[in-house]
Amino acid sequence: MFRRIDSRLHEFSFIVHEVMNFQKLIFFSLFIFLLSCSNGGDDGPTVHDSELRVIISEQPLSGDPALNRNLPSITEPLAQLGMKLFFTKALGGEFDSACVSCHHPVLGGGDDLSLPIGVEATEPDLLGPGRKHPSGNPTVPRNAPTTFNVSLWDNSLFHDGRVESLGKTVGVNGEDGQGIRTPDTDFDTVDPLSGPNLSVAQARFPVTSAEEMRTERFVVDGSNEDVRRALASRLSAMEGWPAEFQSVFGDPTISYDRIALAIGAYERSQTFVENDWKAYVLGDNSALSNGAKRGALLFFQEPADGGAGCVRCHSGDFFTDQKYHVLGFPQVGPGKGNGGNGTDDFGRFRETGLEKDRYAFRTPSMLNVAQMGPYGHAGSFETLEEVIEYHLDPASSFASYSTSSLRQGVQENDMQANTQEALDKLAVLQADGTSKLPASVELTSQEVSDLVSFLNALTDPCVTERECLASWIPTPEQDVDGFQVVAFDENGNPL
Ligand code: HEC
Ligand code: HEC
């Protein structure tokens, strides 16, 4: 009897033991399951790579927007000359502003400001936050886009596309023999002086802008060509430049055409397209976190399928349709002289005169976008989260918008009235079905952060590393004329 009880007890404890093991097994499997879902601490659903791979082949995407393009290397002599020119204040009317003042490689090829300050900065070589104009406000009406990957634009440059390829041939940056229109010619009319590609054509203009480089005192009342001629003869008369041009072109003649050619080559060497997304597209399933994969699905899928429809405009390997859309982003700063008070910016309408283009701006690329803030044509957003959420519901986002979140103080001017005009325009285009902006996408904060994870995966690590970018920054020995920008930040640290 005792024995039986004993043996029963034994049996019982055996069963308990087994049950415990079974529970452990369950817990262990659950743990493994959660671990496999979490991927670095996030706990949303796992994305099946097959789903993303269908999207990639349907778009279709190659992962490499620079594929088959003929691009210069930064080591080529023409690009090296362009780098020196890009960094010299001798191209500024009063020797106080250079291209690099608003497009520094370490600042993502931009200036890290909402709105730029060009001429008359209190400290010309201080770049980024802390750069000040004596008036206390930025003087340039639009955010400085990056010069990185400028060679990948085939339709146009500038937020309103006013340097525009007439042929728009894919893969050639405007170099298709059909000509380029610039602000020196009427809309749709070839500028015979534009030079070979969009990058070179664009490089003819910043030197003519009073706020960016020229000042009001240099070549007063002259044409754009007068400004360029004056700068070319200035450089010709300086000690170092003729020899530089001699070694690249075989003779020492300095013309603005040659200056623009060299600057264009320097910019076109700034190709930064190596990123985790590319590795993923090329087949490496482990290149993206699970959160970035969820973000990718949201980015590419239509709202009807649970996505956010971003790809409607941010399409292709360069993540832009290179077209113009009305989004109603807050209009801050001096404006482009439009509207009743001259504080508004009509965007693409300024070029085409077409009503549908009023308040339309060019779709930005998403490559390296994490390094490109502040965002929007007037730099009115500091973070990716803010700019994404604004897309989802511009009108109500604007109701709670405040410039106080901007690091740089900017004038609001008629922000309320001007932005309302743009939002009204958007409402009309959404009502008549011509806007591509989905009207009713709602995302959780987790989904917004998944989109941000995806956008982060579009960053080429080189653009975040000073050492990697050093090839695009001249050394003090490469200062040709004593006017090289030796950039430093607001804390006095060299850039
Ligand atoms: C004071 C700041 C400032 C300076 C100096 C400046 N830029 Fe810019 N850059 C801008 C702004 C602002 C824009 C956008 C203007 C617009 O869209 O109307 C721009 C646009 C560009 C673009 C077009 C990029 C795109 O995505 O469309 C290129 C390329 C460029 N600049 C190169 C240059 C070069 C080359 C120089 C020197 C010759 C130069 N910039 C000097 C502020 C500046
Ligand atoms: C209707 C076309 C369209 C759709 C759809 C769209 N965008 Fe945009 N996006 C734009 C345009 C145009 C701008 C620039 C507007 C301006 O500067 O005023 C922009 C700006 C941005 C910027 C700021 C980039 C910069 O360099 O300033 C980000 C980030 C962005 N979009 C992400 C997204 C995401 C994520 C989605 C999906 C949730 C999305 N966009 C959907 C057209 C679109």
Side-chain angles (χ1 to χ4, degrees):
M1 168 81 184
F2 275 115
R3 255 184 108 117
R4 261 165 72 192
I5 288 177
D6 188 53
S7 103
R8 287 255 170 106
L9 262 178
H10 192 85
E11 224 166 81
F12 179 71
S13 80
F14 176 77
I15 287 169
V16 167
H17 190 82
E18 285 300 287
V19 168
M20 290 286 287
N21 272 349
F22 184 64
Q23 274 185 341
K24 269 191 206 153
L25 191 72
I26 297 269
F27 273 121
F28 185 67
S29 333
L30 199 69
F31 178 70
I32 292 291
F33 176 72
L34 285 176
L35 204 68
S36 69
C37 293
S38 72
N39 202 343
D42 86 336
D43 46 84
T46 305
V47 170
H48 297 292
D49 294 301
S50 54
E51 207 174 342
L52 259 180
R53 298 222 168 270
V54 169
I55 291 173
I56 288 167
S57 67
E58 278 176 0
Q59 286 288 319
L61 298 171
S62 72
D64 187 357
L67 206 67
N68 300 326
R69 285 179 191 258
N70 187 9
L71 301 176
S73 149
I74 182 58
T75 56
E76 286 173 26
L78 187 61
Q80 285 289 307
L81 174 61
M83 175 171 75
K84 295 169 195 164
L85 290 163
F86 198 86
F87 275 73
T88 182
K89 295 184 288 264
L91 287 179
E94 302 274 312
F95 296 89
D96 70 349
S97 179
C99 303
V100 76
S101 306
C102 306
H103 300 286
H104 197 284
V106 169
L107 304 178
D111 59 3
D112 266 11
L113 296 170
S114 289
L115 296 171
I117 293 155
V119 302
E120 292 161 359
T122 49
E123 288 189 80
D125 287 6
L126 193 171
L127 305 190
R131 185 175 175 83
K132 290 259 173 345
H133 187 265
S135 69
N137 285 315
T139 47
V140 177
R142 288 183 182 161
N143 179 262
T146 184
T147 53
F148 293 171
N149 295 330
V150 77
S151 68
L152 305 183
W153 294 100
D154 294 325
N155 289 8
S156 70
L157 292 180
F158 286 128
H159 291 290
D160 51 20
R162 66 187 183 278
V163 167
E164 184 167 12
S165 161
L166 297 194
K168 300 183 178 53
T169 306
V170 174
V172 296
N173 196 214
E175 194 161 1
D176 58 9
Q178 300 188 54
I180 291 169
R181 180 263 161 156
T182 75
D184 281 348
T185 48
D186 290 337
F187 184 67
D188 237 0
T189 308
V190 171
D191 176 353
L193 303 177
S194 72
N197 56 52
L198 290 171
S199 311
V200 171
Q202 193 282 337
R204 302 171 65 78
F205 290 90
V207 293
T208 68
S209 154
E211 296 77 33
E212 291 187 8
M213 293 178 78
R214 180 171 65 84
T215 75
E216 297 289 2
R217 293 176 296 284
F218 183 70
V219 190
V220 185
D221 291 334
S223 68
N224 286 349
E225 271 303 278
D226 292 337
V227 176
R228 296 177 191 123
R229 264 193 294 270
L231 290 171
S233 54
R234 173 193 280 178
L235 263 55
S236 308
M238 292 173 100
E239 206 174 320
W241 290 110
E244 292 280 335
F245 280 73
Q246 165 86 48
S247 76
V248 172
F249 293 100
D251 74 75
T253 312
I254 300 180
S255 62
Y256 201 88
D257 286 357
R258 285 183 170 182
I259 292 173
L261 265 183
I263 290 178
Y266 166 69
E267 293 176 314
R268 283 162 48 81
S269 76
Q270 296 183 327
T271 308
F272 298 108
V273 298
E274 301 304 326
N275 55 52
D276 291 344
W277 169 249
K278 178 177 171 184
Y280 183 83
V281 172
L282 293 180
D284 179 1
N285 282 350
S286 70
L288 292 186
S289 71
N290 194 38
K293 290 178 191 176
R294 285 197 305 267
L297 276 184
L298 287 165
F299 193 93
F300 289 110
Q301 282 178 335
E302 270 297 298
D305 303 323
C310 311
V311 76
R312 289 182 179 188
C313 306
H314 299 284
S315 54
D317 286 303
F318 193 32
F319 294 94
T320 167
D321 57 4
Q322 307 203 23
K323 295 195 168 95
Y324 314 85
H325 303 276
V326 179
L327 263 75
F329 281 8
Q331 178 58 46
V332 301
K336 290 287 283 184
N338 296 131
N341 296 336
T343 53
D344 210 351
D345 184 343
F346 289 166
R348 182 66 174 162
F349 174 86
R350 293 168 52 80
E351 306 306 314
T352 64
L354 297 175
E355 204 43 56
K356 72 170 177 60
D357 289 332
R358 195 185 291 266
Y359 299 112
F361 292 90
R362 193 189 61 181
T363 308
S365 165
M366 293 291 102
L367 292 186
N368 304 308
V369 71
Q371 302 301 310
M372 298 309 165
Y375 301 105
H377 70 270
S380 42
F381 302 101
E382 211 61 57
T383 68
L384 285 172
E385 283 83 355
E386 286 169 87
V387 73
I388 291 172
E389 288 186 5
Y390 200 93
H391 279 72
L392 305 179
D393 190 348
S396 67
S397 300
F398 183 60
S400 58
Y401 176 81
S402 161
T403 52
S404 63
S405 63
L406 300 177
R407 280 184 70 185
Q408 181 192 31
V410 297
Q411 333 72 310
E412 290 191 0
N413 288 331
D414 304 303
M415 174 180 82
Q416 288 298 333
N418 291 338
T419 309
Q420 195 53 54
E421 293 280 340
L423 290 167
D424 292 348
K425 181 80 197 177
L426 172 62
V428 169
L429 297 176
Q430 284 188 316
D432 73 16
T434 47
S435 171
K436 285 192 164 185
L437 192 69
S440 57
V441 173
E442 281 180 36
L443 300 179
T444 64
S445 56
Q446 176 66 54
E447 288 173 319
V448 171
S449 84
D450 289 343
L451 274 168
V452 172
S453 301
F454 170 62
L455 296 181
N456 281 328
L458 303 176
T459 302
D460 185 328
C462 185
V463 308
T464 67
E465 294 160 17
R466 173 63 171 77
E467 234 170 276
C468 188
L469 293 169
S471 313
W472 285 272
I473 300 170
T475 61
E477 293 73 47
Q478 290 174 300
D479 183 356
V480 179
D481 55 17
F483 293 108
Q484 186 190 77
V485 171
V486 183
F488 58 91
D489 69 14
E490 58 188 328
N491 302 315
N493 299 316
L495 289 182

